[in-house]
Every structure is written in structure tokens, then in C-alpha cells.
Amino acid sequence: MTVVKDQRMDDLRDQFPVGMRVLAVDDDATYLMVLETLLRRCQYHVTGTKNAITALKLLRENKNKFDLVISDVHMPDMDGFKLLELVGLEMDLPVIMLSANDDPKMVMKGITHGACDYLLKPVRIEELQNIWQHVVRRKYDLKERNKTSSQDKPNGDCCNGRGSSATGNSDQNGKHSRKRKDQEEDDDEEHENDLDNEDQSTQKKPRVVWSVDLHRKFVSAVNQLGIDKAVPKKILDLMNDEKLTRENVASHLQKYRLYLKRISRVANQQANMVAALGTADSSYLRMGSLSGVGHMPTLTGPQQFHNNAFRSFVPGGMIGRLNTNVGLNMHGLSSETLQLGHAPNLNNSMNDPIKFQSAIACGNQNGILAMPLSIGFDQLQHNKGVGFSPIQDMSSLTEAKQTFAMSNNGLLLKPDRENRQESGVYNNLTSVASQHSQFSLPLLDHGRCSDIWSTPVHSSGTNSYPPSEALPGANLSGASSITSLSNQSHDSLTDIHPQGLTFTNNSGLSHFPFQGWEDHNHDRSYHSNVIGNSVDSLIDPEGHTSMKSTFNRNLDFNFCDPLKHDGIVGLSEENSLKQQQGYIMNQHKSQSSHTVNNLGSLEEFVSSVMQQQQLDKVKLLDGTYLCDNNYPAGTSM
Amino acid sequence: MGVEEGVYKAKTGLPLWMLGLGADLLWADMNRLLGFLFHQGVLDEQFLQLQQLQDDTSPNFVSEVVNIYFHESEKLLRNLRALLMEREFSDYKKMGSHLNQFMGSSSSIGAKRVRNVCVAFRAATEHNNRAGCLRALEMLEHEYCYLKNKLHELFQIEQQRALAAGVRYPAPVQN
């Protein structure tokens, strides 16, 4: 049966765009159903999922299973932009963003994160009928790159002739280069070239998996050459990998550059924020809870929220704090503090929390804030990546930043290696957080970074992380504390990974709270439905006010549920944040991009934080990039 | 005619007037209701798109989608109310994200008025206006209930119409 089905699928694919395989991701069940039906009406082959993590799993299972991804921007378990980035980096698939919000800043964010298109809900069927163009365009661009880049081809003249345009082509959008190329093709009698290209474009190119090692090699090659001088050909030579082609390297380099740009922008913004705000505060608690919830209250009103949040979202709070701390610290300290040289030390000291402590000059005001970087590092070793939900609420970061800014050894917890989940984390973080050298920590382990970054690529089974194996259930709360701590870079990544493992390994686990919540609500909704209906029959349409009151009465429900939900969200947010951090860490090699690198992982945080905050204080350095001021792009629910 | 109708009545249990001619009347009722809702702005053309998506391969598409919408919306409304009822409520962002989802799903079925209230609600959350949020929530619940009733009514008519239409072309009667 499977054979027949595959055959049919292949036939469908040949009739492209009919049968194009689309993965639709949206947490809104109503819309997902509408979207799936619309896509099927366009004769695409649709797979829909409510969960971004499930979507990533599906994509990773089989790299060639889908042609296109459509995803909502606001999702509870993972930020749509984060998913977008991961898909673009790992699978190089075109991704279309969907949103009910037409804020141009969000659209801009989609573009900078690499989306092919940004559609507004509700999407009309006409719009969907043209989405296949994105798949074709990508193939076309690849073909372009192949043509212009190949110098190994026997048609040296034509290649050289196009040499000047080649580098331009690889870095630009395909349009212009394609045009020029077509003209050149017409002019030159490069029939062989044409044939080769046609073969390449018609046959299915196996997708290159950018594994941890591969990416590590890539980054080291880039850093060796210097980020400005790195060209795909040289990188390819340095990497010395047979399976890679110049085009793969070129496209990867393009993405890498985009990342760096974004990081530097984020870093600048953070620097501004740090400069502007700068007093220590117990906002970290606020932060934590906020991040856990994924929401960012305004700066002005942290106190009350703090209490609530802290009570209900302790793990989230931790997370929030971590993120903010890491981000802030990194940012607060100038780039000089980041020393690549420290990296090797850090690497060695990964397992030794004490080293971290010594590295820390100033303590942290908030003991809790001091997230154990060391722990993060340890975890880095075991890190595996599951592409986790992006950190959504970075607002806490800004606040945390304040706390960090004040170097203060408030809490120095004893390093407790054994107890990763609580004490160890605290110990290390406290010291690390405030220290300048801390910054170098995140930078440290290149390998780790790459591990973290490319963690999504690896299956969770490859790395062993004891905590995660031990306690899937407990991990949720423990992880949150860990995650919060490890914000600093690797730490966060490693922390997340165990959690990530937990999540992935126990898919039910991450979903469990939701299910419980939903079931609970389901009963209630049924109840209210019954009431509503009975009232309905009694009252005519004009009298729905009375029905409304009845309806309201039945709406009492377990307040804790959303909190639970949020806790999970917070965790997943942490995870995704960490992942990003890991990625950033990998890039940090070049001194010039020190701060950028450190903050790279935090860029998500920062952007969401920026959004959350009343950004009046912070001026955007880079005018071309919009800061999401009011609308919390990062938050998803 | 009398004998036939008598037989049908026994089979379907529908009152006589609903058979045959009744189907047309029901169709008219349905269209009238739909027109009324459009005129009032309760629904917009997206609802029509949904209806167009319904065909033989997905015969109950509209009612399925709408039921999912009701289910999700009631959850969201409960969450919103619970959030606002908190003594120390300040999580406007969370409300904003709930609203965002509500907006998305409402616009996907063409619930225009509900969606517009969500927009106003969201503006209140952006200004951290708790009183405004409460007012908006009341209005939202109101609009939602109204929409729900009307849609139930619509589906009822649709069901009856389908039954009545089916009656016109029944399977051969067995003697």
C-alpha cells in the first residue's frame, strides 16, 4: 500500500505545482482546518499540525518530505520566527509566515528572519494558489548559484567571464543574476553548461545537513578567513569536505551573515538599553515570571506582577532571569571583556563550576539571577539539540539587564555540581553573571556552540544528558531553573537540551499540561454551551444580554491551568532561546563580533524585550531595522 | 399526493408543511438570515468562502469549522475573563496573545463583529487599560453569544432544509 501511495505522490509531484507538499503549522485549530482545506482545494498535499515542535520533528525526520512550510507567527510553544529560522537553516525550505496582525514591524521581522512571504489571515484561496512560486524560485536560485560558482567545470571561459557576476550572484537574489546569466548563456555557446544546469535542476538535489561538526568547521573556516573576506570557494577549500558544494557553502554563508547582522543589531540595541536603564532592581523576578509566561508587563509595574508571577511561575521566573541576565551581562560588559582566549579555559572548566566562580569578579545582586554558566557548559557537552521553542518573551531581559548591570555579589551559592537543577546553577551564575570574564564564557566552547546550534540537526539520542533521562517529569520545573540560569549562552543551550530531550522524548509530557487544561476547559465549555443553548431557546436574539450573564457565570474555571500552560511555554521558550544562543556562540570567533556573538543567542530575547518595553528610551541604532515596539512579536500564546 | 406524503411523514417525522415545498421555504429562511447577518456586519465574505469550500468531499465543512471555533473561543473567553478577574492582574501581554488568537480564528470564519471587538480589546490591553479591557470583554462575550446563537439557528435551518430536500427525492418506498 505504501508503495502505491508513494508512486501516486511521485506522480503528483511531477505535475508540480499540483501535489506540492506543504506543511501547515498553526496553533489555532479553527484556522488550521480552514487552511488545510484551502490548500487541498489548491491541489496541494497538506500535512497540518498545531504544534511547532511536532512540525520540526516531521521536517527533520525526512528532509525531502516537504516542499514548503506555512506557519503562523504567534504560537504558544515556539515563536513562529524561530521556527522560520530553524527551518531555513536546517532544511533550507521556503517558509511562508501567517498572521492575523499586519503590523509592518512584524512583516519586517519576517523578512529579516528569512521568510519567503508574509500573509495576513484570513488568507484567500487566490493567494494560496501562487505559493508554489517560492519553491520554484528557490530551485532557480540554486541553479543560478551552480552556474555562476562552478569553476571546476570545463567551461572555464564562461565561468570566468561570469566571474565578476558570480560572487554577486551568490550573494544577491536570483533575479538579476538570473537575467544576466540567461543573457550570457544565450551569448556563449555553453551548451554543456546549460545541460549540466538542467540536469542539476531537474534531478532532486540531496539536501545538505549542516551538522554540528560541519557547522563548526564552517565557522572556523570563516573566522580564519575573516568574516569580511570569507568567500564560499575559500571556505569550501578550508573545510575540505567532499560532500559540500560551493553552492551549499554560499547559501549557508548568506544565512550566517544574516544572523550576524541581526545579532549586532540586537547587541547595539541592548547596549543602548543597558546604558539607558541601568539600575539594579529586583526586576529579575519579574523577568523570570514574565518570561515564563511569555509576556512582558511594562517596566513600570513590575512589583505586583512580581509577586504573582513569582509565586506561580517560579520556573518561568528562573528562565526569565537567566535570559535577562545573560543578555544583560553580555551586553553590559563591553566587548573587550570577551576574550576568545578564555574560551579554551572555559572549555576545560566546563565541568568545573569552581573555575567559573573565580572568573566572576562581581557578584550578582540577585542570587537567583546568577545562573550557572558552568552548568550550562556541562550541559553543553551533552547538549543535543532539539530545536526548541524560541524564547518569546524577552522583555524580561531588559529588566534583568538592570539587575545585572549592578555587579554585586549578593548571592554566591555554593557550587553544587551534583545538584544541577538548583544549587549548582545558582552558584555558577552568580559569580559568572557579574563577571566580565563571563562574557568570554559564552563564547567559549566553539565546539559546544556548534553543538548547540546544530543540535536540532542531531537526533536527541546522540547525546546523553543524565538529568533529562532521569526525570522527565521533574525536569520541567528543574529545567526551568536551569534554563533560566544558563542563559548565558551555552549554558542555556545545554540546559535546554535536557529539557528538550525531555520534551521530545516524552512528547506527551510537554503536551500533558495542555491536554489537562483543555480537557478541563472542555468540560466547562460544554457546560456553558448547555447553559447557553437552553437560555437561547428561552430568549430571542435580542435578549442575549441575559444569556450572556448566564454564560459568564459558567465561565469560572481553574485559574491555574493557564499558568501551567505558561510554565511549559516558558520552558520551551527557554529552550529555543538557548538554541539560538548556542548558535550565536559558534559565531563568536571573530573578535570584531564579540558582543554580537554573545548576544546573538539573545537576539530573540532582545527583540521581544524591545517590543515589550516601552521603547521610548531605546533608540534604534539601525534605522533600517524596525524594532517591534508595541506588539509582542516574541510572545505567543 | 396525500398517500405519498403520509408515507413520508411516517418516515421522517416531519410535519407535512416541511416536506416538498417546505424545502424552498427553508432555503429562503436561510438566505434571509444570512443576508440579515451580513447586513448587520456579524458575518463577512469569509463565511461565504467557507461555504464555497464545502462540497462533496467535505460535506459538513462549515459546521465542523464553526464547532471547532466555538470550542476554542469559549476557552479563550474563559481565559480572558479569568485573567481580568485576577486581583493583581497585570498580564496584558498574555491577554494580547489570547486576543490575537481569537482574532485570527474569528476572521477565519468571517465573524466580523467579534473580530472588531477583539481589535478594540487589544488596543485597551496595549494601553494597560483594565477598565477598558473589562468593558471590551463584556462586549466580546455579548457579540460572541449573539454570533453563536445565530449560527446555531442557521445550521438548524440548513439541517431541516437538507432533510426536506432529501425527502423530495427519497429512496423507493417499500410496500
Side-chain angles (χ1 to χ4, degrees), chain A residues 188-236:
Chain A
D188 302 328
E189 292 161 357
E190 306 300 348
H191 299 297
E192 295 174 46
N193 217 12
D194 291 350
L195 281 176
D196 288 342
N197 288 331
E198 278 167 21
D199 288 342
Q200 281 174 346
S201 54
T202 48
Q203 67 187 221
K204 277 221 172 228
K205 271 187 140 31
R207 293 220 169 88
V208 170
V209 173
W210 280 90
S211 68
V212 174
D213 292 331
L214 206 53
H215 183 70
R216 205 186 318 180
K217 271 202 252 176
F218 172 81
V219 176
S220 64
V222 169
N223 289 328
Q224 218 172 309
L225 293 167
I227 191 71
D228 294 327
K229 297 208 191 105
V231 281
K233 186 83 173 78
K234 289 190 193 164
I235 297 174
L236 187 62

Coordinates of all heavy atoms in Angstrom, one line a residue, chain A residues 188-236:
Chain A
D188 N 27.0 33.0 -25.0 CA 28.0 32.0 -25.1 C 27.5 30.7 -25.6 O 26.3 30.5 -25.5 CB 28.6 31.7 -23.7 CG 29.2 32.9 -23.0 OD1 29.7 33.8 -23.7 OD2 29.0 33.0 -21.8
E189 N 28.3 30.0 -26.2 CA 27.9 28.7 -26.7 C 28.2 27.6 -25.6 O 28.9 26.7 -25.9 CB 28.5 28.3 -28.0 CG 28.1 29.3 -29.1 CD 29.1 29.3 -30.2 OE1 30.1 28.6 -30.1 OE2 28.8 30.0 -31.2
E190 N 27.6 27.9 -24.5 CA 27.9 26.9 -23.4 C 26.8 25.9 -23.3 O 26.0 25.9 -22.3 CB 28.0 27.7 -22.1 CG 29.0 28.8 -22.1 CD 30.4 28.3 -22.5 OE1 30.6 27.1 -22.4 OE2 31.3 29.2 -22.8
H191 N 26.6 25.2 -24.3 CA 25.5 24.2 -24.2 C 25.8 23.2 -23.1 O 24.9 22.8 -22.5 CB 25.4 23.5 -25.6 CG 25.1 24.5 -26.7 ND1 24.0 25.2 -26.7 CD2 25.8 24.9 -27.7 CE1 24.0 26.0 -27.8 NE2 25.1 25.9 -28.4
E192 N 27.0 22.9 -23.0 CA 27.3 21.9 -21.9 C 26.8 22.4 -20.6 O 26.3 21.7 -19.8 CB 28.8 21.6 -21.8 CG 29.4 21.0 -23.1 CD 30.9 20.9 -22.9 OE1 31.4 20.5 -21.9 OE2 31.6 21.3 -23.9
N193 N 27.2 23.7 -20.4 CA 26.8 24.3 -19.1 C 25.3 24.2 -18.9 O 24.8 23.9 -17.9 CB 27.3 25.7 -19.1 CG 27.7 26.1 -17.8 OD1 27.9 25.3 -16.9 ND2 27.9 27.4 -17.6
D194 N 24.6 24.6 -20.0 CA 23.2 24.5 -19.9 C 22.7 23.2 -19.5 O 21.8 23.0 -18.7 CB 22.5 25.0 -21.2 CG 22.8 26.5 -21.5 OD1 23.3 27.1 -20.5 OD2 22.5 26.9 -22.6
L195 N 23.2 22.2 -20.2 CA 22.8 20.9 -20.0 C 23.1 20.5 -18.6 O 22.2 19.9 -17.9 CB 23.5 19.9 -20.9 CG 23.0 19.9 -22.3 CD1 23.8 19.0 -23.2 CD2 21.5 19.4 -22.3
D196 N 24.3 20.8 -18.1 CA 24.6 20.4 -16.7 C 23.6 21.1 -15.8 O 23.1 20.4 -14.9 CB 26.0 20.9 -16.4 CG 27.1 20.1 -17.1 OD1 26.7 19.0 -17.5 OD2 28.2 20.6 -17.2
N197 N 23.4 22.3 -16.0 CA 22.5 23.0 -15.1 C 21.1 22.4 -15.1 O 20.5 22.2 -14.1 CB 22.4 24.5 -15.4 CG 23.7 25.2 -15.1 OD1 24.4 24.8 -14.1 ND2 24.0 26.2 -15.8
E198 N 20.7 22.1 -16.3 CA 19.3 21.5 -16.4 C 19.3 20.2 -15.6 O 18.4 19.9 -14.9 CB 19.0 21.2 -17.9 CG 18.5 22.5 -18.5 CD 18.4 22.3 -20.0 OE1 18.3 21.2 -20.5 OE2 18.4 23.3 -20.7
D199 N 20.4 19.4 -15.8 CA 20.4 18.2 -15.1 C 20.3 18.4 -13.6 O 19.6 17.8 -12.9 CB 21.7 17.4 -15.4 CG 21.6 16.8 -16.8 OD1 20.5 16.8 -17.3 OD2 22.7 16.5 -17.3
Q200 N 21.0 19.4 -13.2 CA 21.1 19.7 -11.7 C 19.7 20.1 -11.2 O 19.3 19.8 -10.2 CB 22.1 20.8 -11.4 CG 23.5 20.2 -11.4 CD 24.5 21.3 -11.2 OE1 24.2 22.5 -11.3 NE2 25.7 21.0 -10.8
S201 N 19.1 20.9 -12.0 CA 17.8 21.5 -11.5 C 16.7 20.5 -11.6 O 15.8 20.5 -10.8 CB 17.5 22.8 -12.2 OG 17.4 22.5 -13.6
T202 N 16.8 19.6 -12.6 CA 15.7 18.7 -12.7 C 15.8 17.6 -11.7 O 14.8 17.2 -11.1 CB 15.6 18.0 -14.1 OG1 16.9 17.6 -14.4 CG2 15.2 19.0 -15.1
Q203 N 17.0 17.0 -11.5 CA 17.1 16.0 -10.6 C 17.1 16.5 -9.2 O 17.4 17.7 -8.9 CB 18.4 15.2 -10.8 CG 19.6 16.0 -10.4 CD 20.9 15.2 -10.8 OE1 21.9 15.2 -10.1 NE2 20.9 14.6 -11.9
K204 N 16.6 15.7 -8.2 CA 16.4 16.2 -6.9 C 17.8 16.3 -6.2 O 18.5 15.3 -6.1 CB 15.6 15.2 -6.1 CG 14.2 15.4 -6.4 CD 13.3 15.3 -5.1 CE 11.9 15.7 -5.5 NZ 11.3 16.6 -4.8
K205 N 18.1 17.5 -5.7 CA 19.4 17.7 -5.0 C 19.2 17.2 -3.6 O 18.3 17.6 -2.9 CB 19.7 19.2 -5.0 CG 20.5 19.6 -6.2 CD 20.9 21.0 -6.0 CE 22.3 21.3 -6.5 NZ 22.8 20.5 -7.6
P206 N 20.1 16.3 -3.2 CA 20.0 15.9 -1.8 C 20.3 17.1 -0.9 O 21.3 17.8 -1.2 CB 21.1 14.8 -1.7 CG 22.0 15.0 -2.8 CD 21.2 15.7 -3.9
R207 N 19.5 17.3 0.1 CA 19.8 18.5 0.9 C 21.0 18.2 1.9 O 21.1 17.2 2.4 CB 18.5 18.7 1.8 CG 17.4 19.2 1.0 CD 16.6 20.3 1.6 NE 15.6 20.8 0.6 CZ 14.4 20.4 0.5 NH1 14.0 19.3 1.2 NH2 13.6 20.9 -0.4
V208 N 21.7 19.2 2.0 CA 22.9 19.1 2.8 C 22.5 19.4 4.3 O 21.8 20.3 4.6 CB 24.0 20.1 2.5 CG1 25.1 20.2 3.5 CG2 24.5 19.8 1.1
V209 N 22.9 18.5 5.1 CA 22.5 18.6 6.5 C 23.7 19.3 7.2 O 24.8 18.8 7.2 CB 22.3 17.3 7.2 CG1 22.1 17.4 8.7 CG2 21.1 16.6 6.6
W210 N 23.4 20.5 7.7 CA 24.5 21.2 8.4 C 24.6 20.7 9.8 O 24.0 21.2 10.7 CB 24.3 22.7 8.4 CG 24.7 23.2 7.1 CD1 23.9 23.4 6.0 CD2 26.0 23.7 6.7 NE1 24.6 23.9 4.9 CE2 25.9 24.1 5.3 CE3 27.2 23.8 7.3 CZ2 27.0 24.6 4.6 CZ3 28.3 24.3 6.6 CH2 28.2 24.6 5.3
S211 N 25.4 19.6 10.0 CA 25.5 19.0 11.3 C 26.4 19.9 12.2 O 27.0 20.9 11.7 CB 26.2 17.7 11.2 OG 27.5 17.8 10.7
V212 N 26.5 19.5 13.4 CA 27.3 20.2 14.4 C 28.7 20.4 13.9 O 29.3 21.4 13.8 CB 27.3 19.5 15.7 CG1 28.2 20.2 16.7 CG2 25.9 19.5 16.3
D213 N 29.3 19.2 13.5 CA 30.7 19.2 13.1 C 30.9 20.1 11.9 O 31.8 20.9 11.8 CB 31.2 17.8 12.8 CG 31.2 17.0 14.1 OD1 31.5 17.6 15.1 OD2 31.0 15.8 14.0
L214 N 30.0 19.9 11.0 CA 30.1 20.6 9.7 C 30.0 22.1 10.0 O 30.8 22.9 9.4 CB 29.0 20.2 8.8 CG 29.2 20.3 7.3 CD1 30.5 19.7 6.9 CD2 28.1 19.7 6.5
H215 N 29.1 22.5 10.8 CA 28.9 23.9 11.0 C 30.2 24.5 11.8 O 30.6 25.6 11.5 CB 27.7 24.2 11.8 CG 27.4 25.7 12.1 ND1 27.1 26.5 11.1 CD2 27.5 26.4 13.2 CE1 27.0 27.7 11.6 NE2 27.3 27.7 12.9
R216 N 30.7 23.6 12.7 CA 31.8 24.1 13.4 C 33.0 24.3 12.4 O 33.7 25.3 12.5 CB 32.2 23.0 14.4 CG 33.0 23.5 15.6 CD 33.5 22.4 16.4 NE 32.5 21.4 16.6 CZ 32.7 20.3 17.4 NH1 33.8 20.1 18.0 NH2 31.7 19.4 17.5
K217 N 33.1 23.4 11.5 CA 34.2 23.6 10.5 C 34.0 24.9 9.7 O 34.9 25.6 9.4 CB 34.2 22.4 9.5 CG 35.1 21.2 10.0 CD 35.4 20.3 8.8 CE 34.7 19.0 8.8 NZ 35.0 18.2 7.7
F218 N 32.7 25.0 9.4 CA 32.4 26.2 8.6 C 32.7 27.5 9.3 O 33.4 28.4 8.8 CB 30.9 26.2 8.3 CG 30.3 27.4 7.7 CD1 30.4 27.7 6.3 CD2 29.7 28.4 8.5 CE1 29.9 28.8 5.8 CE2 29.2 29.5 7.9 CZ 29.3 29.8 6.6
V219 N 32.3 27.5 10.6 CA 32.6 28.7 11.4 C 34.1 29.0 11.6 O 34.6 30.1 11.5 CB 31.9 28.7 12.7 CG1 32.2 29.9 13.6 CG2 30.4 28.6 12.5
S220 N 34.8 27.9 11.8 CA 36.2 28.1 12.0 C 36.9 28.5 10.7 O 37.8 29.4 10.7 CB 36.9 26.8 12.5 OG 36.8 25.8 11.5
A221 N 36.4 28.0 9.6 CA 36.9 28.5 8.3 C 36.6 29.9 8.1 O 37.5 30.7 7.7 CB 36.4 27.6 7.2
V222 N 35.4 30.3 8.4 CA 35.0 31.7 8.2 C 35.9 32.6 9.1 O 36.4 33.7 8.7 CB 33.5 31.9 8.5 CG1 33.2 33.4 8.6 CG2 32.7 31.2 7.5
N223 N 36.0 32.2 10.3 CA 36.8 33.1 11.2 C 38.3 33.1 10.8 O 38.9 34.1 11.0 CB 36.7 32.5 12.7 CG 35.3 32.7 13.2 OD1 34.7 33.7 12.9 ND2 34.8 31.8 14.0
Q224 N 38.7 32.0 10.3 CA 40.1 32.0 9.8 C 40.3 33.0 8.7 O 41.3 33.7 8.7 CB 40.4 30.6 9.3 CG 41.8 30.1 9.7 CD 42.0 28.7 9.3 OE1 41.2 27.9 9.6 NE2 43.0 28.4 8.5
L225 N 39.3 33.0 7.8 CA 39.5 33.9 6.7 C 39.1 35.3 7.1 O 39.6 36.3 6.4 CB 38.5 33.5 5.6 CG 38.8 32.2 4.9 CD1 37.6 31.7 4.1 CD2 40.1 32.3 4.0
G226 N 38.4 35.5 8.1 CA 37.9 36.8 8.5 C 36.5 37.0 7.9 O 36.3 36.7 6.7
I227 N 35.6 37.4 8.6 CA 34.2 37.4 8.2 C 34.0 38.2 7.0 O 33.1 37.9 6.1 CB 33.3 37.9 9.3 CG1 31.8 37.6 9.0 CG2 33.5 39.4 9.6 CD1 31.5 36.2 9.1
D228 N 34.8 39.2 6.8 CA 34.6 40.1 5.6 C 35.2 39.4 4.4 O 34.7 39.6 3.3 CB 35.3 41.4 5.8 CG 34.6 42.2 6.9 OD1 33.3 42.0 7.0 OD2 35.2 42.9 7.6
K229 N 36.2 38.7 4.6 CA 36.9 38.1 3.4 C 36.5 36.7 3.1 O 37.0 36.1 2.1 CB 38.4 38.1 3.6 CG 39.0 39.5 3.8 CD 40.5 39.6 3.4 CE 41.1 40.9 3.9 NZ 42.0 40.7 5.0
A230 N 35.6 36.2 3.9 CA 35.2 34.8 3.6 C 34.4 34.7 2.4 O 33.3 35.2 2.3 CB 34.4 34.3 4.8
V231 N 34.9 34.0 1.4 CA 34.2 33.7 0.2 C 33.9 32.2 0.2 O 34.7 31.4 0.7 CB 34.9 34.1 -1.1 CG1 34.8 35.6 -1.3 CG2 36.4 33.7 -1.0
P232 N 32.8 31.8 -0.4 CA 32.4 30.4 -0.4 C 33.5 29.5 -0.9 O 33.8 28.4 -0.3 CB 31.2 30.3 -1.3 CG 30.6 31.7 -1.2 CD 31.8 32.6 -1.1
K233 N 34.2 29.9 -2.0 CA 35.2 29.0 -2.5 C 36.3 28.7 -1.5 O 36.7 27.5 -1.3 CB 35.8 29.6 -3.8 CG 36.8 28.7 -4.5 CD 36.0 27.8 -5.4 CE 36.9 27.0 -6.3 NZ 37.6 25.8 -5.6
K234 N 36.8 29.8 -0.9 CA 37.9 29.6 0.1 C 37.4 28.8 1.3 O 38.1 27.9 1.9 CB 38.4 31.0 0.6 CG 39.2 31.7 -0.5 CD 39.9 32.9 0.1 CE 40.4 33.8 -1.0 NZ 40.7 35.1 -0.5
I235 N 36.2 29.1 1.7 CA 35.6 28.4 2.9 C 35.6 26.9 2.5 O 35.9 26.0 3.3 CB 34.2 28.9 3.2 CG1 34.3 30.4 3.7 CG2 33.6 28.1 4.3 CD1 33.0 31.0 3.9
L236 N 35.1 26.6 1.4 CA 35.0 25.3 1.0 C 36.3 24.6 1.0 O 36.5 23.4 1.4 CB 34.3 25.2 -0.5 CG 34.0 23.8 -1.0 CD1 32.9 23.2 -0.1 CD2 33.5 23.9 -2.4

